Amino acid sequence: MLTSSSAEKKSFLKNVSWLFGGEIVSSLFAMLETVALARFLGLEQFGLFSLVVAYVNIVKGVLDFKVKGAVIKYVGRCRENNEKGKTISFIKLFYLIDFLTGALAFLAAVLLAGIADRFFIKSESAFELVFIYSFALFVSTVNTSSRAILEVFEKFGNVAVADTFGIGVRVGFVLVFLAAGFGIKGAFTGYVAATFLHFSVLQFLVNRALVSEELSGWLSASIGTVANEFRNVLSFVMSLTVSAFLNRVLNRNFPILVLGHFFTSEISGLYKASTAFSKVVKNLKSPVKRSIYPALVRLEQHGAYGDFKKLVFYSIGFVAKFFVPVGAICFIFADDIISIFFGTEFAPAANAMRIFVVVEVLSGLSFWTSPVYLSLGRTWFVTMLSLLGALFYTVSLFYLSAAYSFEGAALARLAPYLVTLPAAIFLFREIRRRSKKQSF
């Protein structure tokens, strides 16, 4: 059923409010965790921790398919069309993809740990640390599908509560193990324990949501029901996987390994510290992005491009109200923030932090391009934009990192916007054109 623009805005604000509240609390927990790790471990060990996390996340990013967008698109479409049989078949299919690719990523991360240690990590305990952290990520892999399913059924409050609980428990475990003197191994063990609890909570919420929709029994469903759509699903998922790898893994984790190769773990630690507060700014964007995509899929399904345009424009203004003030505060007081939270040992990271704040503000003003392109079915166009952005970024990263260390690595994050911003302007015009065409 087609909803009005005001109804979509109301639903959008409700969903954003849940996720926004959850993200703020989660950001505070994540910041507490980062500060605790830096304080307890010191610069060298914190750098080692960052290198292990970066390596495992990169392997996972390469081999783990990104199914969230596909879950929202295909499960959401079947729900809109009241196709219950196909809905539970798609749910089983996406859970299966998540599980198998997560297992593959776990094995690859462990088997390649020796190579990673030789070129990047450079620590006698590398294999053990990689194994523990990889296991945590393997357990959490199917959580991606669980969150997406809850968002399709507009259970954003459940997602916010579960994610907040998950990171809160993780921080608690990490603090306990660090205080007990177990060091990096203890911190990663805390990740594993918290991941099990988070997985259990999400599964409970998903099953409850499916029962309320009369969609229980997905474990026994046959994926043969949707076999004729496998090719389209695979194309969609592969496109998202490539885009996610280029947009997230290269930008977040790859530079840590590059700095570890060229310099020392201390330099990687400074880079990691400089990104901590940009994550707070970035997390203000996440709720809006996660809420707008399911709504855009529904509106595009009905061809309601007038409401489509209004929702996009509204979301841009909504994000700008938060991003600009918070970004300005973090930029102005970067020196004080780094020194107070991380200690004077991390003071050199302040200028890099300012660069990251600028990057995240630009990201906040162009966040809507990917959800819009995906809702319009242009998945491979998103991939091409990501490829171009990654090319500019990689060239800039190696040149600037070698010349200016971790500050150069931070500057390289601006390079992809040579592609992103023109694409956003072009898409902005197309949305207006579609809206005008519908009105005639």
Side-chain angles (χ1 to χ4, degrees):
M1 172 188 263
L2 182 60
T3 56
S4 67
S5 175
S6 60
E8 281 292 353
K9 284 184 180 179
K10 183 177 180 180
S11 176
F12 170 75
L13 280 175
K14 178 183 176 182
N15 296 335
V16 167
S17 297
W18 272 111
L19 294 179
F20 191 73
E23 287 287 355
I24 287 183
V25 177
S26 296
S27 296
L28 293 175
F29 277 132
M31 181 57 59
L32 174 62
E33 179 185 84
T34 303
V35 171
L37 287 166
R39 290 284 188 176
F40 275 100
L41 299 177
L43 181 55
E44 181 182 356
Q45 289 292 293
F46 181 68
L48 174 59
F49 179 90
S50 303
L51 285 166
V52 171
V53 170
Y55 160 68
V56 175
N57 284 342
I58 283 180
V59 174
K60 183 175 184 291
V62 172
L63 299 175
D64 184 24
F65 289 176
K66 304 300 179 184
V67 303
K68 182 177 180 179
V71 173
I72 292 175
K73 180 179 178 64
Y74 288 95
V75 175
R77 186 190 65 189
C78 291
R79 186 196 181 211
E80 285 291 307
N81 296 332
N82 199 31
E83 298 173 309
K84 293 186 177 181
K86 293 182 68 174
T87 299
I88 60 175
S89 293
F90 271 124
I91 288 173
K92 182 174 181 177
L93 174 63
F94 291 125
Y95 267 133
L96 187 61
I97 292 173
D98 255 349
F99 176 80
L100 293 177
T101 56
L104 179 61
F106 169 76
L107 291 174
V110 173
L111 292 175
L112 297 174
I115 297 175
D117 180 45
R118 188 179 309 120
F119 289 98
F120 308 110
I121 301 176
K122 304 171 185 176
S123 171
E124 294 180 355
S125 57
F127 179 84
E128 188 176 6
L129 297 177
V130 166
F131 180 86
I132 298 172
Y133 184 58
S134 298
F135 190 72
L137 286 188
F138 172 48
V139 174
S140 66
T141 299
V142 297
N143 290 351
T144 302
S145 289
S146 296
R147 290 192 194 92
I149 291 167
L150 290 171
E151 290 177 13
V152 167
F153 295 118
E154 299 189 73
K155 304 292 184 180
F156 288 87
N158 288 346
V159 176
V161 171
D163 286 351
T164 303
F165 168 81
I167 193 169
V169 170
R170 190 183 79 191
V171 173
F173 279 128
V174 169
L175 288 174
V176 168
F177 284 120
L178 288 175
F182 291 109
I184 296 180
K185 293 180 184 178
F188 282 134
T189 302
Y191 271 49
V192 174
T195 298
F196 269 108
L197 291 175
H198 189 201
F199 166 80
S200 301
V201 170
L202 278 172
Q203 284 301 301
F204 169 78
L205 293 173
V206 167
N207 288 329
R208 188 176 67 175
L210 293 178
V211 169
S212 68
E213 295 273 341
E214 299 180 353
L215 292 170
S216 58
W218 65 267
L219 274 172
S220 59
S222 172
I223 60 175
T225 308
V226 294
N228 62 325
E229 300 195 55
F230 279 0
R231 180 176 296 181
N232 292 334
V233 170
L234 181 60
S235 176
F236 195 91
V237 170
M238 288 303 298
S239 174
L240 293 180
T241 300
V242 173
S243 298
F245 170 74
L246 296 172
N247 289 330
R248 296 180 58 190
V249 178
L250 285 180
N251 288 347
R252 183 182 303 175
N253 299 302
F254 188 55
I256 294 177
L257 296 187
V258 171
L259 292 171
H261 176 71
F262 282 129
F263 304 100
T264 63
S265 61
E266 286 88 346
I267 297 298
S268 295
L270 289 171
Y271 179 88
K272 179 74 172 180
S274 70
T275 67
F277 286 90
S278 71
K279 290 180 182 178
V280 176
V281 180
K282 182 178 181 179
N283 285 345
L284 297 177
K285 170 190 67 178
S286 178
V288 184
K289 187 173 182 179
R290 289 165 62 184
S291 298
I292 195 174
Y293 180 45
L296 293 176
V297 169
R298 290 194 298 270
L299 292 172
E300 198 280 333
Q301 182 74 16
H302 295 285
Y305 293 110
D307 291 343
F308 191 102
K309 182 197 77 172
K310 292 177 182 177
L311 186 59
V312 170
F313 287 11
Y314 179 79
S315 68
I316 295 172
F318 183 87
V319 169
K321 291 177 183 177
F322 293 96
F323 254 65
V324 176
V326 174
I329 292 172
C330 291
F331 187 93
I332 294 170
F333 298 103
D335 293 283
D336 297 322
I337 291 172
I338 290 291
S339 296
I340 291 172
F341 286 93
F342 292 91
T344 55
E345 189 179 18
F346 289 84
N351 285 333
M353 174 183 163
R354 290 188 173 94
I355 296 171
F356 278 112
V357 170
V358 174
V359 169
E360 296 304 339
V361 170
L362 289 175
S363 175
L365 297 177
S366 59
F367 79 95
W368 50 275
T369 54
S370 179
V372 170
Y373 276 125
L374 291 177
S375 64
L376 295 176
R378 300 180 182 178
T379 54
W380 285 104
F381 187 76
V382 175
T383 304
M384 291 304 299
L385 290 177
S386 299
L387 283 170
L388 287 174
L391 177 62
F392 291 159
Y393 173 69
T394 303
V395 173
S396 301
L397 176 63
F398 278 96
Y399 175 77
L400 294 173
S401 294
Y404 303 106
S405 187
F406 64 94
E407 290 183 349
L411 279 171
R413 285 288 304 275
L414 293 169
Y417 290 95
L418 296 174
V419 176
T420 303
L421 294 180
I425 294 172
F426 173 80
L427 188 57
F428 189 87
R429 292 177 176 175
E430 181 174 354
I431 293 172
R432 295 184 64 180
R433 180 183 61 80
R434 289 195 179 211
S435 177
K436 289 180 180 180
K437 184 177 180 181
Q438 185 189 34
S439 63
F440 289 104

